[in-house]
Amino acid sequence: QPGEWLLYTVIVSHSGEYQVRVRAASASINQSILHFEIDGVNVTGNVTIPNTGGWQSWTTVYSRTFKLDSGVHFVKMCIDSGGCNLNKFYILPPNASPLINLIFPNGGEIFVPDSVVEIKWKSQLVDRVMVGFSPSGVGNWTLVQDSVTAKFGVYRWLVPNIVSSTCRLLVMSENDRSVSDTCQTFFIQVTTGVNNNIETAKGYLLEQNFPNPFNPSTSIVYSVPKDTFVTLEVYDVTGRRVATLVRNFVLAGTHSVLFKGDDLASGVYLYRFESDNFQKTNKMVLTK
């Protein structure tokens, strides 16, 4: 209703040109008008929501473009006249298109049959996704879940009771199958001594550090499916070891380690994870 407003805090990663895309519905006789303020400044002017023919008949309207610097900002949506149902709004570059980026698995992981793995992705301009699985890695996708809310970015998957070294997962837009992403091949295999209780069992994994690039510190997350010995070390591009983050016996589960690069020069570094027969190396970038 006129006079109502909503306030949000947003983090902008890159400075540049942006616009607001609003998905709304209205059965008002007159058009509804709203505007968006960023840090107290009206950056969009009037954004008009037409009569869409029903309170659940959704349409997307676009604001004019505006400049936005990187950092933390306060966004206020204000209703000026009329009335509408607001489904969602995005603040995106004008040329932004639907996108899905599958983050985990990303290839090389080892999962245990009947364990539970969290499939993770990032998306933009996608409402719902489908998740598929291929044990051969070359297609023949089996539908795992047909409708998952995209913005949550995670789906808990029960690993099938098979053994394969060429498994792949797919995350695809429910409305546009050209918008999708697949991971590199990973393993499903039986590992001696692992508790296969679906509430507790996990695969060996090494996640991408966050944030990346970083300055001066970043977090590295890894998981092991049983109590075991773990080594996690950091190397520069010449192969010189610059830090040993973990070199001891750890309990089963997910662990997070903070790496500090205060005394290191800017550049690419490699962090290597070893546990039992599982090994994996990821890259990270230190920028100062």
Side-chain angles (χ1 to χ4, degrees):
Q1 299 298 322
E4 294 183 336
W5 52 269
L6 295 170
L7 184 65
Y8 302 85
T9 301
V10 300
I11 301 175
V12 178
S13 57
H14 301 287
S15 301
E17 293 282 336
Y18 288 85
Q19 71 177 174
V20 179
R21 303 184 186 186
V22 183
R23 189 168 188 260
S26 176
S28 297
I29 297 176
N30 299 317
Q31 294 178 331
S32 302
I33 297 177
L34 51 87
H35 73 273
F36 287 81
E37 299 175 3
I38 296 183
D39 302 329
V41 178
N42 184 343
V43 296
T44 62
N46 290 344
V47 178
T48 301
I49 310 298
N51 184 327
T52 61
W55 295 108
Q56 297 296 318
S57 299
W58 304 101
T59 189
T60 300
V61 297
Y62 302 79
S63 78
R64 69 190 185 195
T65 60
F66 51 88
K67 291 184 178 180
L68 194 57
D69 293 330
S70 61
V72 178
H73 297 277
F74 297 101
V75 178
K76 187 177 184 180
M77 185 196 72
C78 304
I79 306 296
D80 298 316
S81 64
C84 64
N85 279 345
L86 177 68
N87 178 253
K88 66 183 70 175
F89 70 85
Y90 300 94
I91 300 176
L92 293 167
N95 59 352
S97 58
L99 174 69
I100 294 174
N101 179 20
L102 181 54
I103 299 172
F104 181 80
N106 61 8
E109 298 85 0
I110 300 175
F111 299 127
V112 180
D114 297 324
S115 65
V116 174
V117 171
E118 289 191 342
I119 302 169
K120 299 178 181 179
W121 66 88
K122 291 183 179 179
S123 65
Q124 69 177 26
L125 299 176
V126 176
D127 290 329
R128 304 191 71 81
V129 299
M130 300 182 292
V131 180
F133 168 69
S134 171
S136 66
V138 291
N140 300 318
W141 297 101
T142 299
L143 185 64
V144 173
Q145 184 63 43
D146 63 353
S147 188
V148 180
T149 302
K151 67 180 180 180
F152 294 155
V154 63
Y155 175 74
R156 288 174 59 83
W157 174 52
L158 178 61
V159 178
N161 190 9
I162 64 171
V163 174
S164 174
S165 61
T166 56
C167 301
R168 296 179 75 186
L169 283 164
L170 162 76
V171 178
M172 176 189 298
S173 169
E174 191 175 66
N175 297 322
D176 183 354
R177 298 194 175 189
S178 68
V179 180
S180 65
D181 195 17
T182 59
C183 67
Q184 298 298 313
T185 56
F186 58 88
F187 302 83
I188 298 177
Q189 66 184 46
V190 176
T191 305
T192 303
V194 174
N195 177 3
N196 282 338
N197 183 293
I198 66 171
E199 294 299 322
T200 60
K202 298 177 183 290
Y204 293 88
L205 68 89
L206 176 66
E207 296 197 18
Q208 186 64 47
N209 64 297
F210 182 84
N212 188 44
F214 67 96
N215 179 28
S217 61
T218 186
S219 294
I220 300 173
V221 175
Y222 67 91
S223 295
V224 290
K226 63 178 181 178
D227 300 349
T228 188
F229 192 87
V230 166
T231 300
L232 180 60
E233 297 175 322
V234 180
Y235 296 84
D236 63 19
V237 292
T238 69
R240 179 176 65 94
R241 185 175 63 202
V242 298
T244 298
L245 304 180
V246 182
R247 192 175 182 81
N248 55 261
F249 197 85
V250 302
L251 299 179
T254 300
H255 305 266
S256 179
V257 179
L258 185 67
F259 171 64
K260 297 181 179 180
D262 303 81
D263 300 326
L264 298 175
S266 297
V268 176
Y269 291 85
L270 309 175
Y271 57 100
R272 180 176 176 81
F273 172 83
E274 295 186 36
S275 181
D276 298 321
N277 293 322
F278 179 81
Q279 299 178 356
K280 188 173 183 183
T281 301
N282 284 349
K283 292 182 181 180
M284 57 184 174
V285 180
L286 172 61
T287 58
K288 292 186 175 181

